[in-house]
Amino acid sequence: GENVEQHPSTLSVQEGDSAVIKCTYSDSASNYFPWYKQELGKRPQLIIDIRSNVGEKKDQRIAVTLNKTAKHFSLHITETQPEDSAVYFCAASNTGTASKLTFGTGTRLQVTL
Amino acid sequence: DVKVTQSSRYLVKRTGEKVFLECVQDMDHENMFWYRQDPGLGLRLIYFSYDVKMKEKGDIPEGYSVSREKKERFSLILESASTNQTSMYLCASSSPGGGYAEAFFGQGTRLTVV
């Protein structure tokens, strides 16, 4: 089955700096890569996703890049703000498997003032 | 607004008890999932269902079973609770969406087995 590795496990940045979280996946058949944000005490929520036919996608201050050859994808957050502090999970799925997502182990991002 | 609701936010059970965790979604989603969340291990899939009465094992099904008698409801059953099943349990649902569908999560049930 699919295996997703995520690094780093914790990340501390100063407000206004950029943050990068990296994930690798093992199954070359995976073709959908969403990112979820979980604020303290709350449920995970989708913030951005990318399909395998796209190399990069942006939404305001967040972007995701995908390198299919190397089987890795990354989340980039620019101009970080305190409200970006949360746990971020990457995930991968093969759309032929009922949208079954395999998640990474999570990155706790702390944005300090 | 999609709602995925789990029956309990916190639950304390004794070792050996049979435990039922209930999840209901109101968006007519075909897919439903049960994950457990542990620090440093992320979200691990226990079971999922893509239709009523259909179920498939996820990555860590041992010690668990599920039931989906109605489309909107997906139950996770711990046949004989053990202390190593103390965890946060998250239910999620999604539409097929060609496989690109967003998963909507419930608020989680923190289960403690003593």
Side-chain angles (χ1 to χ4, degrees):
Chain A
E2 176 63 277
N3 181 52
V4 177
E5 295 190 358
Q6 182 172 349
H7 300 281
S9 56
T10 60
L11 181 59
S12 182
V13 300
Q14 286 200 317
E15 184 179 6
D17 287 350
S18 295
V20 180
I21 301 169
K22 298 182 179 182
C23 290
T24 59
Y25 62 98
S26 61
D27 187 353
S28 56
S30 289
N31 55 6
Y32 176 58
F33 307 93
W35 287 85
Y36 285 77
K37 175 184 180 182
Q38 186 178 30
E39 296 177 4
L40 190 63
K42 296 192 176 179
R43 66 195 75 192
Q45 290 190 297
L46 179 71
I47 55 170
I48 195 168
D49 57 15
I50 191 167
R51 303 184 184 187
S52 60
N53 59 349
V54 175
E56 183 174 2
K57 184 177 179 181
K58 286 184 179 179
D59 183 4
Q60 300 182 341
R61 294 186 299 107
I62 60 173
V64 58
T65 58
L66 171 65
N67 182 328
K68 283 193 298 181
T69 303
K71 296 204 197 78
H72 68 71
F73 56 113
S74 300
L75 178 71
H76 304 254
I77 306 174
T78 59
E79 299 172 20
T80 53
Q81 300 169 5
E83 53 265 37
D84 295 328
S85 295
V87 178
Y88 292 81
F89 293 98
C90 61
S93 78
N94 174 349
T95 55
T97 57
S99 306
K100 188 185 82 161
L101 292 171
T102 300
F103 285 87
T105 49
T107 297
R108 182 173 298 279
L109 173 65
Q110 181 71 43
V111 180
T112 57
L113 297 173
Chain B
D1 193 23
V2 175
K3 279 210 176 134
V4 180
T5 304
Q6 296 180 227
S7 53
S8 303
R9 191 69 192 262
Y10 299 95
L11 215 49
V12 180
K13 295 293 182 181
R14 293 194 180 278
T15 301
E17 275 193 79
K18 190 168 186 176
V19 181
F20 293 85
L21 302 184
E22 307 286 345
C23 175
V24 177
Q25 51 94 4
D26 67 357
M27 282 303 291
D28 202 35
H29 283 167
E30 283 78 4
N31 302 327
M32 295 191 75
F33 309 85
W34 276 106
Y35 289 90
R36 69 176 275 178
Q37 182 175 12
D38 299 288
L41 297 178
L43 300 167
R44 294 180 293 166
L45 182 64
I46 304 171
Y47 266 97
F48 67 103
S49 168
Y50 53 88
D51 201 352
V52 176
K53 296 192 186 293
M54 303 300 289
K55 60 185 179 185
E56 287 202 23
K57 293 180 180 179
D59 300 316
I60 53 165
E62 296 78 20
Y64 304 94
S65 62
V66 290
S67 172
R68 192 160 181 208
E69 296 296 319
K70 292 185 178 182
K71 190 176 186 179
E72 67 271 19
R73 186 180 298 270
F74 192 35
S75 303
L76 180 69
I77 304 156
L78 285 66
E79 297 291 343
S80 177
S82 64
T83 55
N84 63 12
Q85 293 178 310
T86 292
S87 186
M88 171 68 83
Y89 291 87
L90 288 166
C91 173
S93 73
S94 70
S95 63
Y100 299 111
E102 175 179 358
F104 293 89
F105 284 86
Q107 77 277 25
T109 296
R110 184 164 294 282
L111 173 67
T112 302
V113 182
V114 297

